[in-house]
Amino acid sequence: MKYALVIIETDESRRAIGRDRAGHRQAIADWMVEQGQAGILVDGQAFETESVPPVTVRKTANREVSVVHEPFAGEHETLGGYAVIEAATMEEAVKAASSWPTPETIEIRPIWTQG
């Protein structure tokens, strides 16, 4: 089964990036190579989180559209990217997420398949 590891930047992970951006990024790149070589990593991308702010579009109860130029959950946690992995069980997905090398929060979501 495929799982999305949703990478959530936190205040601590942003501090780590500020202290050593190149080292932070290299740790993630190394993790992706390792997981790819192990046959676990299927796909993944980082979101642009530094120079272009996110835009959140919501629909109200009466279907009006609300557009705000900020993260959907405020400033304390923002989406940093995702990785898609292949794992037999949620426990295996948790093991992979637990090996994430930097202080982001990782949310694991099974990817829905039709049928």
Side-chain angles (χ1 to χ4, degrees), residues 30-57:
D30 292 346
W31 182 89
M32 293 188 136
V33 168
E34 291 168 9
Q35 299 304 308
Q37 289 173 343
I40 296 169
L41 183 67
V42 175
D43 190 16
Q45 296 290 324
F47 298 141
E48 170 55 63
T49 62
E50 295 177 34
S51 64
V52 179
V55 176
T56 301
V57 178

Side-chain angles (χ1 to χ4, degrees), residues 32-95:
M32 293 188 136
V33 168
E34 291 168 9
Q35 299 304 308
Q37 289 173 343
I40 296 169
L41 183 67
V42 175
D43 190 16
Q45 296 290 324
F47 298 141
E48 170 55 63
T49 62
E50 295 177 34
S51 64
V52 179
V55 176
T56 301
V57 178
R58 297 181 195 269
K59 288 200 177 172
T60 64
N62 62 355
R63 301 215 157 291
E64 291 179 20
V65 175
S66 167
V67 178
V68 293
H69 294 263
E70 62 184 33
F72 74 95
E75 294 294 323
H76 294 292
E77 293 185 327
T78 58
L79 297 177
Y82 68 92
V84 176
I85 62 167
E86 185 75 43
T89 64
M90 177 61 85
E91 290 75 23
E92 287 183 16
V94 168
K95 184 177 177 183

